Amino acid sequence: MASPGERDRENDKDRDREMHSGYRGYVNLHEPPNSRLFLVVSRSTTERELREMFDKFGEIQDILSVKDKFTKEAKGVAYVKYGKSSQACRAMEELNGKSLSDGKPMKVLIAQSRSSSCGRDVEDEDLTRIFVMIPKSFTEEDLKSNFQEFGDIEYCRIQRDKVSGEGKGYGYVRYMRPSQAALAIENSDRRFRAILAEPKYRLNPNPQGDWHQPPESMHANFGYDPCFQGVPPIFKNMGPKTLPLPHFDDFGCHPGPPLSNLTSDDSLDFSRWLSVTMDPCITREQLTALFGLIPGLDFCDAQKDVINSCRLGYVRYNNPASAIYAKEKLNQFEYPPGSPMMIHFAKDVEAATSGENPLRLMALQLVTAQVMAEVSSHFTDRAQPGRGQMVQPQMMQSTQQTRHANGDFETSFTTARLPPKQPLAPMNTPMKERLFVVCSSSAPPPPEALTNAFCRFGNLIEIYMLPSKSYGYAKYADESSAKAAIEALHGQEVCGVRLKVLPADPPKEEARKRKHTV
DNA sequence: CGACGGGACGC
DNA sequence: CGACGGGACGC
């Protein structure tokens, strides 16, 4: 076995050689992991033939048929590099064993780097299990409902404390096929931090022989967020869902309503928007049907909130009166029974739409008795489209909902003038600039709201708040993006919380990470 | 005023 | 059995 030094040097040589590639430019053959295939083919197989077979699974970044250095004779092996591991895995699953033009079967494996020895074939179990960080309150069902959209799950496992039964904050998901695990790693919410699980027997125990345990603070990113930990009991154990594929933008943000660039003059316009926190089984069509009972609906969308196991709807009316009326009548409406919807305005107009204020009174006047009767009849007569039985809405339910513990989803509203959303930089991108973010209130905005705001300057790697603190950090992969964030967001409000945004001091010099007795 | 998160499975 | 080509960029 090579010494660590030799290994490093060997890896460097690999990288030097392999960064150089064909006319498409530089391709790092090891990035992302498991995105390159090793093929055993016939000596007569051409690159062209391989290209035709393999480009169905993704854009081929690099292809090579290995030839003898001197005789130029094909050796019957080849490499195919894709941009994504899921593409390579799919190609392996579909093409391994398939016949070539001469009738001989080909082998397709995940390629290994020169300095590594073992190959991974389509049967390799190491490619089908992922390791994920989750809230302690997660059940196996929660795990399943969040990861089944990526493929056929063999099992979900959650580690728990044996005495208290409390989750330890992580779990495992085993898929049937490598490409499914790869899709989960590529596309699941970043806060899960999904990675391929190391096979148990290959994990290194530390010198003391006990297993490394995650520190308590590991759960911080989930734990501080009331939205994350406080999944209402009614949302749990809802059983298998038949949700349409959730529609996230490229970086796991809820697209949300078009907002930003809010000025005080926009409050009237804002009062047309409602956000709805509701049961995950409700589809966009059902939401549209329900809110469409009130005239003036001109926009309706529903997003799955992966982390919260609930569903987030956005509704807009063409006039404030309809919105006010909809909130008045449908807030706390149990749909399905046992799952009250929670409806909110933008914070900015909450005060302006309650009590004796003229706008509200006007709205309630404008809505005719006829409309009200129509709404009521729908609620009582129509069969509930999803599941269970439709119930009478609690028409007179008070709308004075206090700042509820879990459902504050008016996450996208800000006083800042913001450019459009941009994709996040991959988690492993080197950080160029770190910002220190302080919130005026001890309860910071939900993470998705912060991500929504801070992603808009590009190259945001991550923003997080420290648990039970009013501050946190935003990491950027680019200085000018970070600068633009300061420019646009310092002193502004997100979700009613005023932010300070400034360059962070370098991280505290922690005494070297080492075992305290060594 | 407001300064620091980081991953593993009882056999 | 079946494991690696060609050669840019900017200092």
Side-chain angles (χ1 to χ4, degrees):
Chain A
M1 186 144 152
S3 76
E6 284 165 357
R7 171 72 63 84
D8 285 350
R9 253 175 279 124
E10 187 58 30
N11 287 341
D12 285 347
K13 274 192 283 178
D14 281 357
R15 199 159 38 243
D16 284 349
R17 271 196 296 265
E18 293 169 359
M19 287 292 282
H20 303 294
S21 180
Y23 50 87
R24 287 190 188 282
Y26 306 122
V27 172
N28 184 338
L29 298 182
H30 299 313
E31 279 303 323
N34 303 317
S35 62
R36 193 171 66 131
L37 296 175
F38 172 61
L39 317 179
V40 182
V41 295
S42 306
R43 292 182 188 279
S44 61
T45 307
T46 61
E47 270 187 21
R48 169 190 273 282
E49 178 182 355
L50 293 175
R51 196 177 278 281
E52 275 173 20
M53 299 175 79
F54 283 82
D55 68 5
K56 290 201 274 286
F57 302 95
E59 187 192 342
I60 295 173
Q61 291 185 342
D62 192 38
I63 188 164
L64 166 67
S65 168
V66 178
K67 300 187 175 63
D68 184 279
K69 210 177 290 180
F70 304 108
T71 69
K72 310 288 188 202
E73 197 181 4
K75 290 170 121 176
V77 300
Y79 294 90
V80 174
K81 171 73 174 73
Y82 291 98
K84 292 184 172 187
S85 170
S86 55
Q87 297 165 339
C89 290
R90 274 279 290 156
M92 171 172 72
E93 290 157 15
E94 298 300 321
L95 296 179
N96 182 53
K98 283 277 149 52
S99 295
L100 295 157
S101 58
D102 66 357
K104 301 249 175 70
M106 100 178 118
K107 287 188 193 172
V108 184
L109 302 85
I110 298 289
Q112 294 297 322
S113 70
R114 274 176 228 270
S115 38
S116 140
S117 46
C118 60
R120 291 182 152 170
D121 66 18
V122 68
E123 298 300 327
D124 198 327
E125 291 202 340
D126 297 358
L127 296 172
T128 58
R129 196 178 62 139
I130 63 171
F131 175 67
V132 296
M133 305 303 295
I134 50 176
K136 289 179 178 178
S137 61
F138 251 40
T139 64
E140 277 81 358
E141 273 305 308
D142 292 328
L143 241 197
K144 186 177 173 193
S145 71
N146 281 298
F147 283 89
Q148 64 186 1
E149 69 192 79
F150 306 110
D152 313 315
I153 292 176
E154 184 187 323
Y155 62 77
C156 293
R157 212 154 276 167
I158 286 175
Q159 295 308 123
R160 292 202 166 75
D161 184 282
K162 278 176 296 296
V163 288
S164 73
E166 185 184 44
K168 287 186 175 176
Y170 57 85
Y172 300 87
V173 180
R174 170 83 74 183
Y175 286 96
M176 301 306 289
R177 299 159 69 176
S179 63
Q180 299 167 334
L183 283 171
I185 289 167
E186 289 162 9
N187 300 321
S188 64
D189 189 293
R190 294 159 59 106
R191 282 172 290 181
F192 288 118
R193 293 167 191 269
I195 56 171
L196 266 191
E198 287 293 331
K200 194 173 173 179
Y201 58 86
R202 226 181 279 161
L203 259 193
N204 304 321
N206 68 28
Q208 279 77 20
D210 54 343
W211 296 90
H212 179 70
Q213 291 299 313
E216 199 57 26
S217 57
M218 196 180 89
H219 311 294
N221 225 6
F222 296 126
Y224 98 92
D225 174 11
C227 295
F228 205 133
Q229 209 165 42
V231 176
I234 54 170
F235 290 146
K236 287 190 185 171
N237 301 316
M238 296 292 288
K241 326 260 188 314
T242 51
L243 290 177
L245 277 188
H247 142 250
F248 278 98
D249 50 26
D250 293 341
F251 38 97
C253 282
H254 296 292
L259 29 98
S260 71
N261 306 343
L262 171 68
T263 69
S264 51
D265 296 337
D266 292 328
S267 62
L268 254 190
D269 185 57
F270 251 37
S271 64
R272 297 160 49 206
W273 279 102
L274 299 174
S275 74
V276 187
T277 306
M278 57 195 176
D279 188 278
C281 76
I282 297 175
T283 65
R284 188 176 78 83
E285 289 66 33
Q286 292 166 338
L287 190 72
T288 307
L290 182 61
F291 281 77
L293 296 175
I294 292 145
L297 183 71
D298 69 2
F299 177 90
C300 183
D301 195 14
Q303 304 293 329
K304 180 177 172 188
D305 186 315
V306 168
I307 299 297
N308 295 302
S309 305
C310 65
R311 209 154 164 80
L312 178 59
Y314 287 109
V315 168
R316 190 185 64 193
Y317 289 92
N318 60 17
N319 69 90
S322 292
I324 292 169
Y325 185 79
K327 181 180 172 186
E328 197 91 7
K329 297 308 176 192
L330 293 176
N331 191 36
Q332 296 295 315
F333 175 50
E334 296 196 7
Y335 184 62
S339 295
M341 305 179 117
M342 290 179 291
I343 304 177
H344 304 283
F345 284 110
K347 259 186 184 167
D348 310 77
V349 297
E350 200 76 54
T353 52
S354 60
E356 294 304 305
N357 88 77
L359 186 59
R360 173 172 175 273
L361 295 178
M362 184 182 71
L364 296 182
Q365 269 178 3
L366 285 175
V367 178
T368 64
Q370 186 196 344
V371 171
M372 190 161 163
E374 188 186 332
V375 171
S376 302
S377 71
H378 274 94
F379 288 158
T380 45
D381 297 342
R382 188 176 284 185
Q384 205 258 17
R387 22 176 251 139
Q389 191 58 47
M390 200 71 152
V391 298
Q392 184 72 27
Q394 298 152 18
M395 286 292 193
M396 294 303 120
Q397 180 88 30
S398 162
T399 58
Q400 334 274 68
Q401 210 165 344
T402 47
R403 291 280 155 243
H404 47 76
N406 72 325
D408 194 347
F409 278 111
E410 284 106 12
T411 58
S412 307
F413 300 100
T414 173
T415 52
R417 305 190 78 83
L418 296 177
K421 284 184 179 181
Q422 291 194 44
L424 301 193
M427 211 50 126
N428 56 8
T429 314
M431 178 182 68
K432 285 284 175 50
E433 184 76 44
R434 198 174 62 135
L435 303 182
F436 183 49
V437 180
V438 186
C439 297
S440 64
S441 103
S442 56
E448 61 268 32
L450 291 170
T451 305
N452 185 325
F454 280 76
C455 74
R456 289 161 184 261
F457 316 95
N459 303 295
L460 176 68
I461 299 170
E462 186 188 19
I463 175 166
Y464 63 92
M465 304 299 290
L466 296 189
S468 347
K469 296 272 167 57
S470 60
Y471 56 83
Y473 298 88
K475 295 178 175 178
Y476 285 90
D478 179 87
E479 294 93 337
S480 60
S481 296
K483 224 174 125 184
I486 295 177
E487 196 94 352
L489 289 170
H490 179 65
Q492 299 296 325
E493 279 184 17
V494 171
C495 295
V497 176
R498 192 161 296 278
L499 301 183
K500 294 181 189 178
V501 184
L502 48 151
D505 294 339
K508 199 171 65 178
E509 216 36 76
E510 198 84 42
R512 283 268 178 246
K513 250 193 205 167
R514 73 184 111 119
K515 291 278 168 187
H516 63 332
T517 52
V518 176

